[in-house]
Amino acid sequence: FIFCTILFFAFLKFVNWINSKQLFIIVGTLFLFTAAFRGVGIDKDYATYQYSFSLVSTPIQYFINYTDWSNFEPFYYIIPSIFKFVGFPFYEQSLFFIFAFIAIVTKFFGIYKLSRIDGLSLLVYFSFFFFLHEMTQIRVGIAAGGLLIATYFYYNNKFALFFLVLILSTFFQYTGILIGLILLLNKHRFNVVVNLSLLIASFLCILLKVNVISELLFVVKLPFTDKLMLTLKTLTKKENELNAFNIPLVLSFLITIWLFLNHKKIIIQNQYGYLLLKIQVISFICFGLFSSIAVIAFRLYEFFGIVSIITTTFLVYTTRYKLIGYFAVCLYSLLLMVNLLHITKLVAPYKFIFFQD
């Protein structure tokens, strides 16, 4: 239903019956209420968040007894503790609402600034990242939205705002610190040979089972190392097994190669094209380097892969007839959603919290 709704309003935007702001308000409202008021047990992480929200004490306790709360990112503790301290009504639902609101707004801002075909970007966003982030990994969703915003600020040389977004994203989820890698990228030049080589090398790392980086991660103590170790202990061997050749990943790999080969057409239409494509390369590199620990490989691949919300729409620029590109993006989005809901089964059949037994 939501997929078709986005298609409908994207078409209205395409024929200029509504503008971008109206499109974002309509779709954003639908996204927000769907994510914030999902029923208990719809996603696998719901109970974990409920438990975490119940543990927090007063805001000051985070700083007084930091060692006891070090597994909580600052905002993951402080926001719930403030809500609990002031006796905010509907405590849990209010928290899910505020986290979903921040994640959706950050991604919408990124799409609004970086995409030239925002209707299609919203479709790609919904078909995969909405379920993955706003319905499951809500803190990563906020950090990923921060990555999109930081990309815009970096390209436009607004470094103070870039570092502010980096810090805020890290306070929601420690993965956000990796936004800093964007500073290593040349935003105006694109070497197709180098980037293709890096892309192919990432898959060779998987085939050769390279795990040097993964082992180093446990030698060098980082803020999230203990939390990661605890997570890995709870996973079965099957859950931590890497399937590098699942259909969505292979399709994304092939699409990325196609976009690299047509990069000159893309940059004419979207000034952020080179920078976004390079960030997508980082997502594949992370996948290859951390392939021996599937939970990290996929988490980092999906974190940097948030740029695919925009880069997938570049397919429109690479075809002689744009209608073919539009159809390809819609079909790809549909395949992502079907795989996520019916094959991977990331989330259960949807129910509103108000209508559960």
Side-chain angles (χ1 to χ4, degrees), residues 40 78 97 147 215 230 242 325 339:
V40 178
I78 292 171
F97 184 92
L147 186 146
E215 294 297 328
L230 184 63
L242 185 69
N339 177 76

Side-chain angles (χ1 to χ4, degrees), residues 5 39 66 76 82 100 128 136 147 149 187 222 245 247 269 280 291 308 319:
T5 301
Y66 177 74
Y76 184 38
I82 291 173
F128 183 77
T136 310
L147 186 146
I149 298 174
K187 52 197 172 186
L222 296 172
F245 301 101
I247 293 175
Q269 302 292 335
Q280 191 146 324
S291 57
S308 65
T319 55

